[in-house]
Amino acid sequence: MNTLIKAKFSFIFGRKEFTMFFVLLGMIIVSAIISPTFRSIDNILNILNQNAIIGVMSIGMAFVLITGAFDLSVSSTVALTGITSTYFFREYGFVAGIVTGLTVGVLMGLANGLLVTKIRINPFVATLGMMTIGRGIVFIVTNGFPVMGVPSKYGVIGMGKVGPIPIAAGIWLIFAAITYLVMRYTKFGQYIYAIGGSETASWLSGINTVKIKILAFVICGVFASLGGIILTLRVLMATADGATGYELTTIASCIVGGISIDGGRGSILSAVVGTLILGLILNMLQLTGVSSFWQSAITGLIILGAVGIDSVSNRKRD
């Protein structure tokens, strides 16, 4: 009996995503003690709502990171989606705006996937290039000026609520639950993990590694576009510099939550937990009156710490 209990505890605490979940719980308790304002339901819902865009983007990034790659172009995908969908929202209606916006993500993800798998360009170089191209297109199309005209009635997606629950947060958590099940209980999910563990071994075992990696990049692009649509419907406009720096926050959320930067380990739960940890830190900085300029510095320290811990863990396993 004791052996069984020890095995269960070893399984739980041996997985970084579960460890970080308990870290998140500890942070919530400490924050609630420090700040009475933090304990309010409105503040908790505000944390979920404010981090819904990064949360959605982190879901897609998780697929790519678990394969052992990453995507630096997600912020440009958000901006390009915003510009494109704004025009279609304004001229052709809600459905046209959604479909066109998501198509941008498919195309960006497909381009990244083909560059990495077919042309065999390093993911850093490939996605950095696509990030620059995407942002360049946005500035060319807009001349640096905001694009406005999204009907205000569509703003319910970005700013509205169903009861007390913000719609944007609901979208994030629903997709997180769906993709968690996909990654855990489908062959596609198992192939993603297998490629992250060893792409060569996966190919030798009969997995179409090229197809799976391309799909992972496409999924990442689609979720980046979904984040772009939510952002557009929150502010009812799109700007050329929109979502600048989101790619680093998205990657940081995944790594902090427990997804290994070397691939093969982590889950969608990791992406959710990491997003909430970074969001909670920002919320506490705001509640305690700390300058917002500290956010980038603290995020950078957290990334270094998370990657450092992951590297040490990998060496111990080896």
Side-chain angles (χ1 to χ4, degrees):
M1 189 66 165
N2 289 335
T3 303
L4 180 61
I5 293 174
K6 288 181 179 179
K8 288 183 177 180
F9 272 92
S10 176
F11 172 77
I12 293 174
F13 290 99
R15 298 180 62 178
K16 190 180 174 185
E17 60 263 40
F18 287 113
T19 301
M20 296 311 297
F21 176 73
F22 289 114
V23 169
L24 174 62
L25 289 180
M27 291 175 63
I28 291 173
I29 293 171
V30 171
S31 299
I33 294 172
I34 293 174
S35 173
T37 305
F38 178 87
R39 298 195 292 265
S40 69
I41 298 299
D42 287 342
N43 185 61
I44 299 298
L45 293 175
N46 180 60
I47 292 174
L48 291 174
N49 191 42
Q50 291 299 316
N51 291 280
I53 295 169
I54 293 297
V56 166
M57 294 171 65
S58 296
I59 292 172
M61 187 65 73
F63 281 82
V64 175
L65 283 172
I66 292 173
T67 67
F70 50 85
D71 185 354
L72 294 176
S73 69
V74 289
S75 58
S76 293
T77 301
V78 170
L80 191 56
T81 296
I83 299 300
T84 306
S85 61
T86 294
Y87 175 78
F88 278 83
F89 280 135
R90 187 178 62 201
E91 301 296 332
Y92 301 105
F94 184 77
V95 175
I98 297 292
V99 172
T100 306
L102 295 178
T103 301
V104 171
V106 171
L107 294 176
M108 289 288 285
L110 183 60
N112 285 324
L114 291 173
L115 288 171
V116 171
T117 60
K118 294 293 188 179
I119 305 180
R120 296 189 177 279
I121 300 176
N122 180 278
F124 176 84
V125 177
T127 59
L128 179 63
M130 287 303 298
M131 178 182 75
T132 307
I133 292 170
R135 188 68 68 174
I137 292 173
V138 170
F139 275 100
I140 290 170
V141 170
T142 64
N143 286 319
F145 292 102
V147 178
M148 297 177 282
V150 178
S152 58
K153 61 183 178 180
Y154 299 161
V156 66
I157 301 298
M159 299 178 290
K161 295 181 179 181
V162 175
I165 308 298
I167 292 176
I171 292 172
W172 167 30
L173 297 178
I174 289 171
F175 274 110
I178 293 171
T179 51
Y180 176 82
L181 295 175
V182 168
M183 289 291 283
R184 187 170 177 82
Y185 296 109
T186 68
K187 285 186 177 180
F188 173 71
Q190 298 309 307
Y191 291 164
I192 291 284
Y193 281 105
I195 291 171
S198 174
E199 186 170 349
T200 302
S202 298
W203 179 77
L204 290 173
S205 66
I207 296 174
N208 189 335
T209 55
V210 170
K211 178 182 177 181
I212 298 300
K213 289 191 76 171
I214 290 175
L215 283 174
F217 275 103
V218 170
I219 290 170
C220 186
V222 168
F223 276 101
S225 283
L226 181 58
I229 290 170
I230 294 173
L231 177 61
T232 301
L233 296 179
R234 178 169 291 178
V235 298
L236 299 180
M237 60 182 290
T239 59
D241 61 349
T244 300
Y246 278 28
E247 71 282 348
L248 297 180
T249 306
T250 302
I251 293 172
S253 296
C254 292
I255 295 173
V256 168
I259 295 177
S260 174
I261 198 168
D262 294 324
R265 289 188 298 278
S267 69
I268 301 299
L269 175 63
S270 304
V272 174
V273 169
T275 300
L276 290 175
I277 287 175
L278 293 182
L280 189 148
I281 290 171
L282 174 59
N283 182 255
M284 283 305 299
L285 289 175
Q286 293 171 341
L287 291 178
T288 54
V290 177
S291 171
S292 60
F293 296 125
W294 280 93
Q295 180 188 358
S296 297
I298 291 175
T299 300
L301 289 172
I302 292 172
I303 294 172
L304 289 175
V307 173
I309 292 171
D310 184 59
S311 297
V312 171
S313 299
N314 291 340
R315 287 200 297 271
K316 286 183 178 179
R317 287 190 181 95
D318 296 338

